[in-house]
Amino acid sequence: MATLQYVLATALSLVVFVLLANVIVDLYARGAVRAAVDEAARAGARVDATPAECAARAHDVLAGLVGSRLRSGVDVVCSEAGATVSARADVRLPGWLVLVPDWRFSIVATSVKERSP
């Protein structure tokens, strides 16, 4: 009987550990996406930059910060509207266990487009 209690306690502590690790990785991924979107908006603000270059910069930054599994849930779109450049990332981070729902969020960064003299 006592052995069963130890097994259940160990299993429960491992589940809690995995849940906490999932939260920590998701918070890191959110920071990485924020950095990528900010960098993309800055890159897209150059005078000669296109929205495609903006999105490519976001993908480059993400490739340096997170693995392919997390990157597959990130969709970055850049757009220009007048004198501003916007980079938007729609993110879906899957939960590691059935108990944990997917985390979905969007991050937007805007930068003022440079003007040629």
Side-chain angles (χ1 to χ4, degrees), residues 9-68:
T10 302
L12 182 61
S13 65
L14 288 175
V15 167
V16 170
F17 175 75
V18 169
L19 293 175
L20 288 174
N22 191 179
V23 168
I24 291 168
V25 168
D26 284 353
L27 291 175
Y28 172 80
R30 182 184 66 178
V33 171
R34 163 55 68 194
V37 169
D38 286 344
E39 185 67 25
R42 279 197 275 316
R46 291 189 331 261
V47 172
D48 58 343
T50 65
E53 291 171 334
C54 169
R57 181 64 186 147
H59 292 295
D60 289 344
V61 171
L62 281 174
L65 294 175
V66 296
S68 61

